[in-house]
Amino acid sequence: MERSSPAVPEPEVYRFQEALPPLTAHEATVEAHRCLYCYDAPCMQACPTHIDIPSFIRKISTGNLRGSGRVILEANFLGATCARVCPVQELCEGACVLGKDHTPIQIGRLQRYATDHIFERGVQVFTPSPPTGRSVAVIGSGPAGISVSAELAKLGHRVTLFERRELGGGLSTYGIIGLREPVEVSLREVEAVQNLGVEVRTGVELTDREGLDVLLSQYDAVFLGLGLGAVPALGIPGEEAVLDGLTVIEASKVEPWRLKVGPLALGKRVVVIGAGNTAIDAATVGRRHGAEVEIVYRRTEHEMTAYRHEYEFALHEGVRFTFLTQPVGVEVEDGRVTGLRCVRMSLGVADASGRPRPEPVPGSEFVIPCDTVIAAIGQEKPALAAQLGLALENGYIQVDDGLQTSLPRVYAGGDCIRVRGSASTVMAVQDGKLAAASIHAALMASPVAAD
Amino acid sequence: MADLSVNFAGIRAPNPFWLASAPPTNSGMQVHRAFEHGWGGAVWKTIGAPVLNISNRYGGLSLGGQRLVAINNVELISDRPLEVNLREIAEVKRMWPDRALIVSAMVDADPKAWREIVMQIEDTGADGIELNYGCPQGMSERGMGAAVGQVPEMCQLNTHWVTSVTRLPVIVKLTPNVTHITDPAHAALAGGAHALSLINTINSVMKVDLDTLLVTPSIGGQATHGGYAGPAVKPIALHMLSELMCDPTVRASGVPICGMGGIQTWRDAAEFLLLGASALQVCTAAMHYGYRIIEDFVDGLSNWMDDKGFATLADVTGRSLPQMSSFGGLDLGYQAVARIDPDKCIQCDLCYVACNDTAHQCIDLYSPEGVKVNPGFNVRDGGKQVAQGRATPVVREPDCVGCALCANVCPVDGCIEMVSVPSGRPSVTWDQLTATRPAVTQEWAAMEAYRKEAGIEIH
Ligand SMILES: Cc1cc2nc3c(=O)[nH]c(=O)nc-3n(C[C@H](O)[C@H](O)[C@H](O)COP(=O)(O)OP(=O)(O)OC[C@H]3O[C@@H](n4cnc5c(N)ncnc54)[C@H](O)[C@@H]3O)c2cc1C
Ligand SMILES: Cc1cc2nc3c(=O)[nH]c(=O)nc-3n(C[C@H](O)[C@H](O)[C@H](O)COP(=O)(O)O)c2cc1C
Ligand code: SF4
Ligand code: SF4
Ligand code: SF4
């Protein structure tokens, strides 16, 4: 796809504001005072990175914002991203003791308030330890890569972070819609890791085993935070005319003009295929570009993988849902999409995943007229892993409790190892912490390699 | 509907809620509007000696994001011309014959000065005079206000100068900035006071601004102490009120007391009544929210009285006073223990940490399976489901001293109850012990022996 200079200027209107405004100082103080400062707090246990939530909130209530930000970033270097993207209803806020009969504390928004304070003022929270003489190469600058780099750099290791894309940040930069997290937020985190002395080299891709061996000869350990691949093929006729949901979201963040002109231009009627969080995000982008948007899914509302709150958010945005509908082909005339051919489904007996298996209703074919079809049915598993000769588990990189792969000195974390559970930023961050701890233990147990 | 009317030392009003002598009663236009809102009475902002006020005269205390939990002021008495005040008082009284209109006054400690102001007040047609012996700054430095209130002889003398020349009821407003509130009260009674009111403001320095390091409120870079009032002072006011109401001399005199200090809602008002006040004054709450708060004062109090079956204020006044005692009169045999309602508990564990760190280490945590567990969590766990298996606090009753700390920290209403349990100990007071077995209250060895005998075990 062409990436020439914009054919249309980039007006501010394309840059979507975050859906929730920042808390004002007074709102933050009042909300912070509502927190009970629980002991052994369940919110802290529910946070995968175990941020000391009652402490950071109390510090907001006492006006110690620098201390509050430090508490957050010590446990979670990507606290500013997590404040925005975490499914808090399923995590900390879902566990808040006030959730039973009251409204849980708005932990995410308070976290954003405290971390914004740090980043807007350029406060340096951490000082790296004296150099240990050990070095680590990190591949991939997504949340897992940044987290492990930060933790290792704090411990005094020399870290080089390699990223194949032009900008660092992984899906925080390219994949999470601007309504939730503007690009600046994730880029500030890349900058923060650089401030710790981590060398970030963008535009560098690890492509094969040879490359890995070279890294292993130059570094004491290698961490792989590769994330996942592109949206898988649908396998239906007319597929070439279907837009990739991730590409659409990416464009909406870094080059919004591309959704107006050229091959990625969105039409007036958009159909999104899929029912996970990515489908909801792609549909939201479509709505915010003024299109009528319909999500088609072959099962029902109950089997959707999107979080309930995401589903409700989409309904609120005016996205329509058509359930029990399976796409079977894209109607294309003169190279332009005119509709999505579908068949009605009915639910049969439960399949291996325990969800009822959808079956086509004979003779129920129909066409949804539209001018854009977007596929957002998840991401492909990490293809590079097999080429590197790593043991796999169900297509993901296999790791032990210390996040070491089948190759000595090679560790992995984030989406590329997420065999179970839904992949999320905060879990990638926790992987980075756990991997850093085991890399640190291993490196310090062996003597410094002579140059 | 309950009858809220009052007759306070001969001063009548449709309800006991009067605006205290302060900014809310600064002018005729204000008092007129307050009466339109339904206030039962007003004590005019203190008039008397000539003054000049300064700017930036209030400081506020915020707690938990809640503003004006208390206010501190470096304000003096009324700075409006005396004759303007007097004219407006007369006008307002003419328009509102059914409301209590009392004039607060403060002049030099001189019988002539008092006689003069008293005559002027009588001419307005006002219902009574309140002697302001409280102003803790400015006026006191000139020998007025607290300077009178803090010296019983002065208090008696000044009161006498007034009561001997007027036919109006005289209320003496006491300052709380004394060691024993009964001393100035006795002096006021000896001077012929027909009623007492309390409390005026408490000496205070509000705060220091951590950005500028300026003491607040800062008056051009300088500061002084001011008078403290508002919700935070209520317990002090209730204490002083009950001290007076339990004092034999005050009781024998039969003078009524007008209570104030921190009344923010009808609930606060009801507490003052229960501890013996027969009328009430309000300042800070009106300064915070405006005159409109009177509506719920009247509505809330009369609904509560209806619920309780109290027909008149006389049914309420002093009703809780018989419980007031001294430490020496309390039953040492009484035992309460904390009991947690597991259905109400939200598992914040605040009771656990409070008892464990600063009380008597008698709250344990039990998992849903009934196993005693320690606090803590698994670093590899996460997600909201961790809250499901959360342990619940349970009190080990035999070890509970019944201090009630946990019940006070618990954020859920009615979740921790302090229940009376048989103690197996003799019912006896400290005073009785001292009278019957003096050694026990004076020597540790005798105390230990007594404990053994009475079955008292200290953890
Ligand atoms: C559309 C979408 C919306 C999402 N929304 C949310 C959300 O709201 N909340 C949430 O918690 N999670 C969300 N997620 C999931 C979340 O983004 C991921 O779980 C998280 O980013 C995983 O981090 P990671 O570091 O493992 O991988 P990634 O963020 O994918 O980062 C991997 C990085 O590695 C680089 N890389 C890969 N291979 C190589 C190579 N060979 N050489 C060099 N560099 C390489 C990539 O370019 C990329 O920058 C969303 C995901 C998607 C797709
Ligand atoms: C700003 C301010 C000015 C006051 N001025 C006077 C005064 O002139 N005369 C007086 O007797 N009391 C004065 N007071 C004291 C009040 O009348 C009242 O005794 C005290 O505020 C306690 O009541 P509260 O807690 O309802 O405010 C003043 C109080 C405040 C806050
Ligand atoms: S559970 Fe809720 S109330 Fe308790 S500390 Fe956490 S955020 Fe605060
Ligand atoms: S009453 Fe006191 S001693 Fe008893 S459980 Fe509560 S805090 Fe502990
Ligand atoms: S303080 Fe109250 S709500 Fe909190 S754990 Fe204790 S009993 Fe339960």
Side-chain angles (χ1 to χ4, degrees), chain A residues 26 29-30 33 36-42 44-48 50 89-98 100-102 400-403 430 434, chain B residues 63-67 342-350 352-353 356-357 365 374-387 390 411-412:
Chain A
H26 183 255
T29 309
V30 170
H33 275 106
L36 301 173
Y37 196 34
C38 296
Y39 182 71
D40 197 25
M44 171 181 182
Q45 303 178 8
C47 169
H50 307 295
Q89 296 86 340
E90 304 297 319
L91 303 171
C92 52
E93 291 182 15
C96 174
V97 298
L98 294 179
K100 278 185 202 163
D101 312 304
H102 306 72
D400 64 14
D401 272 358
L403 301 197
Q430 181 68 355
L434 295 173
Chain B
L63 273 186
Q66 166 74 53
R67 305 272 169 166
D343 294 333
K344 288 191 178 149
C345 175
I346 57 172
Q347 290 147 357
C348 66
D349 287 5
L350 287 172
Y352 172 84
V353 71
N356 210 38
D357 285 3
L365 297 175
N374 287 324
F377 60 91
N378 178 351
V379 286
R380 285 173 192 266
D381 244 2
K384 65 177 178 184
Q385 60 286 351
V386 296
R390 205 166 151 77
V412 182

Side-chain angles (χ1 to χ4, degrees), chain A residues 84-87 139-145 162-165 167-172 174-177 180 204-207 225-228 246 249 277-278 281 310 379 384 413-416 423-426 428:
Chain A
R84 296 167 162 87
V85 309
C86 272
I139 314 299
S141 67
F162 298 95
E163 168 57 55
R164 67 174 173 208
R165 311 276 322 235
L167 298 175
L171 287 173
S172 308
Y174 290 108
I176 288 172
I177 56 171
R180 215 170 293 132
V204 183
E205 179 166 8
L206 172 66
T207 48
L226 307 175
L228 298 174
L246 286 176
I249 293 170
N277 295 314
T278 308
D281 286 349
E310 288 291 316
Q379 283 178 272
L384 178 64
D415 285 1
C416 63
S424 63
T425 301
V426 67

Side-chain angles (χ1 to χ4, degrees), chain A residues 99-337:
Chain A
K100 278 185 202 163
D101 312 304
H102 306 72
T103 317
I105 301 297
Q106 298 180 58
I107 301 169
R109 291 183 80 190
L110 287 172
Q111 182 167 320
R112 180 171 149 198
Y113 181 74
T115 50
D116 278 356
H117 177 91
I118 298 285
F119 283 106
E120 278 161 13
R121 284 161 190 75
V123 177
Q124 297 303 312
V125 178
F126 303 108
T127 332
S129 306
T132 61
R134 275 83 164 174
S135 61
V136 182
V138 174
I139 314 299
S141 67
I146 290 189
S147 169
V148 76
S149 301
E151 301 306 324
L152 289 169
K154 282 196 251 169
L155 292 165
H157 302 298
R158 188 169 63 78
V159 181
T160 314
L161 177 52
F162 298 95
E163 168 57 55
R164 67 174 173 208
R165 311 276 322 235
E166 189 184 330
L167 298 175
L171 287 173
S172 308
T173 297
Y174 290 108
I176 288 172
I177 56 171
L179 281 180
R180 215 170 293 132
E181 181 182 14
V183 177
E184 297 74 49
V185 176
S186 63
L187 294 186
R188 281 194 309 220
E189 287 171 338
V190 177
E191 221 177 281
V193 84
Q194 284 171 310
N195 287 339
L196 281 175
V198 172
E199 188 193 343
V200 178
R201 293 173 57 185
T202 53
V204 183
E205 179 166 8
L206 172 66
T207 48
D208 47 29
R209 176 63 188 252
E210 209 174 290
L212 179 61
D213 288 338
V214 171
L215 289 174
L216 284 169
S217 69
Q218 293 171 344
Y219 294 88
D220 296 306
V222 174
F223 175 88
L224 304 174
L226 307 175
L228 298 174
V231 174
L234 294 164
I236 56 174
E239 169 121 37
E240 328 69 65
V242 173
L243 302 185
D244 173 329
L246 286 176
T247 313
V248 169
I249 293 170
E250 178 184 323
S252 78
K253 287 196 84 177
V254 293
E255 294 167 310
W257 57 269
R258 292 177 63 210
L259 300 182
K260 294 283 176 202
V261 293
L264 271 187
L266 302 182
K268 291 252 170 297
R269 289 210 54 187
V270 173
V271 176
V272 178
I273 303 171
N277 295 314
T278 308
I280 302 240
D281 286 349
T284 307
V285 169
R287 281 300 291 156
R288 291 283 169 138
H289 271 266
E292 264 179 57
V293 181
E294 182 169 343
I295 285 184
V296 297
Y297 179 45
R298 61 202 175 107
R299 304 180 196 246
T300 74
E301 186 179 331
H302 307 290
E303 289 85 25
M304 279 174 73
T305 50
Y307 292 121
R308 182 81 207 169
H309 62 267
E310 288 291 316
Y311 174 41
E312 279 164 12
F313 176 73
L315 289 173
H316 190 77
E317 288 280 303
V319 173
R320 287 200 298 129
F321 285 79
T322 306
F323 295 108
L324 291 172
T325 301
Q326 167 115 308
V328 291
V330 182
E331 308 267 298
V332 184
E333 270 169 39
D334 303 334
R336 296 175 42 141
V337 173

Side-chain angles (χ1 to χ4, degrees), chain B residues 288-309:
Chain B
H288 195 169
Y289 300 111
Y291 299 135
R292 60 198 165 130
I293 57 173
I294 183 62
E295 195 276 332
D296 190 57
F297 276 25
V298 169
D299 186 43
L301 184 69
S302 74
N303 286 341
W304 171 77
M305 285 173 66
D306 290 347
D307 289 348
K308 290 278 172 197

